[in-house]
Amino acid sequence: MAQPSLHRVASLFALAGVALGAFGAHGLKAVLAENGTAQTWETAVFYHLVHALALFVVSGWPSIPRGPYCCFVAGIVLFSGSLYVLAVTGIKALGAVTPLGGVAFLAGWLWLALRR
């Protein structure tokens, strides 16, 4: 994928993070309170937005590190995505998916740290 496309993807992930944060605070407030999962939703939004910003930053580098970029995308989908669904549905089995997203985040950051 070309740099402008990766930049757009990063921007869309950031947009989605802000929208999901607002939706959780307003549209899902009662559901999250009933399920006792408001903190879970907030954690999902926090990691989503932090890594959307990381995507945005690395997509602007002259030589885009594709491996870390893909790890961050996978982390957002697996980590934050599983927490979003868990917070709304209460399906505890999704808790098994969340650590895979965490590992993807860690792999992306380690990849950047070891990158030449």
Side-chain angles (χ1 to χ4, degrees):
M1 220 184 290
Q3 185 171 358
S5 295
L6 293 176
H7 208 67
R8 264 188 229 103
V9 168
S11 297
L12 291 173
F13 268 105
L15 173 100
V18 172
L20 287 165
F23 185 55
H26 303 289
L28 292 176
K29 190 173 186 174
V31 171
L32 298 176
E34 181 180 321
N35 292 348
T37 54
Q39 184 61 49
T40 301
W41 188 273
E42 290 174 15
T43 298
V45 170
F46 177 76
Y47 279 88
H48 183 151
L49 286 172
V50 165
H51 290 88
L53 289 174
L55 289 174
F56 194 76
V57 168
V58 299
S59 70
W61 291 0
S63 174
I64 298 170
R66 305 278 176 151
Y69 190 96
C70 291
C71 286
F72 293 153
V73 167
I76 292 170
V77 171
L78 294 172
F79 183 88
S80 294
S82 65
L83 289 181
Y84 290 135
V85 176
L86 173 75
V88 173
T89 66
I91 299 172
K92 302 288 184 200
L94 290 169
V97 175
T98 307
L100 298 174
V103 169
F105 286 148
L106 292 169
W109 289 113
L110 181 61
W111 201 329
L112 283 178
L114 299 176
R115 186 173 176 256
R116 293 182 188 233

